[in-house]
Amino acid sequence: MSWLWAIIVGLVLGLIAKAILPGKQQIPLWLTAVFGILGSVLGNWAATGLGVNDTKGIDWIRHLLQLIGAVVVVGVGEMAWVALRGKKSRA
């Protein structure tokens, strides 16, 4: 069940990250979910490093770090996706 939640949270975080980033991202929905999951893992890692991964109540700082991680991963991943797709279409 945790994998299902990871996919759902990753998709939601990826979609929010796409909405935050300026312009239109050209990555497919499945890749948005993958990048969202990776961003969430990156945010959890940062929260653990800062010691804010488990607090009383809602972990707002951890969730914010997950969103920041998703924005970074979606932004970088989208640039890589466009670069790879551009090279394939020219060949």
Side-chain angles (χ1 to χ4, degrees), residues 7 15 19 21 23 31 38 43 49 52 55 61 71 75-76 79 84 90:
I7 293 169
L15 290 173
L21 290 170
L31 198 53
L38 292 175
V52 294
T55 59
I61 297 173
V71 168
V76 171
M79 288 188 293
L84 287 173
R90 286 186 224 146

Side-chain angles (χ1 to χ4, degrees), residues 29-82:
L29 187 60
W30 67 268
L31 198 53
T32 301
V34 170
F35 288 160
I37 292 169
L38 292 175
S40 177
V41 170
L42 181 66
N44 280 336
W45 175 77
T48 301
L50 294 172
V52 294
N53 61 328
D54 191 24
T55 59
K56 292 183 181 182
I58 299 175
D59 298 329
W60 292 110
I61 297 173
R62 179 174 57 101
H63 296 316
L64 180 64
L65 290 170
Q66 288 175 334
L67 180 59
I68 291 169
V71 168
V72 169
V73 173
V74 167
V76 171
E78 196 269 334
M79 288 188 293
W81 177 262
V82 169

